[in-house]
Amino acid sequence: NGKNFQEETKMRIGNAGIFVKDLEGAKKFFEDYFGATVLKTYNEAENNYYSYILQLDEGAWIELMTKPGIVDEPKDPNRTGLAHICIKVDNRPELDEIIKKFKQDGYKIQYEPTSPVGGGEVRAVTFEDIVLEVNYTPAA
């Protein structure tokens, strides 16, 4: 048929998994900041593994996971590996509100919009050093 595998399938990110020490605190963070809802829970007591799969309004899921003995070393934001997760918002007031809340809660802002209007994004080191970007891009 002349088509290759990539032309015949639709690829997308299904979820981003994040190990945390405080599973309930991480779930509350995503609920409070982004209105996340719990889709599924995994409670594997025999493996000491627990997780929440969270959904935002649309897009990939966020899986928060914990188990005893996970290593929680200090994390440099300039480390190798996954740099950040970007969450898109629908309007500038929503972005501004999240920036305000990040600051009120003492999260380290790496950068934020330089203009008070239009599109922009903030990058912050948040709950348990999870680096998040929150982006608003106006419709063209």
Side-chain angles (χ1 to χ4, degrees), residues 59-127:
W61 300 340
I62 296 171
E63 182 173 8
L64 302 173
M65 309 167 292
T66 197
K67 62 182 179 179
I70 60 171
V71 177
D72 191 20
E73 300 280 330
K75 301 166 191 82
D76 186 314
N78 294 315
R79 65 189 179 266
T80 59
L82 183 65
H84 64 269
I85 296 171
C86 180
I87 296 175
K88 305 284 266 176
V89 296
D90 288 335
N91 57 63
R92 183 58 189 259
E94 192 173 0
L95 174 63
D96 291 340
E97 187 60 33
I98 289 170
I99 293 169
K100 179 180 168 186
K101 191 164 171 50
F102 279 166
K103 289 178 178 180
Q104 287 173 342
D105 291 343
Y107 294 127
K108 182 177 186 259
I109 304 291
Q110 293 181 316
Y111 60 80
E112 61 185 291
T114 55
S115 170
V117 295
E121 67 185 14
V122 61
R123 181 181 291 173
V125 181
T126 67
F127 188 86

Side-chain angles (χ1 to χ4, degrees), residues 14-15 27 31 35-42 51-64:
N15 73 48
K27 177 177 77 84
E31 289 171 336
T37 57
V38 176
L39 284 179
K40 299 178 187 176
T41 60
Y42 292 96
S51 78
Y52 288 113
I53 296 188
L54 304 178
Q55 181 171 22
L56 304 179
D57 291 326
E58 57 185 46
W61 300 340
I62 296 171
E63 182 173 8
L64 302 173

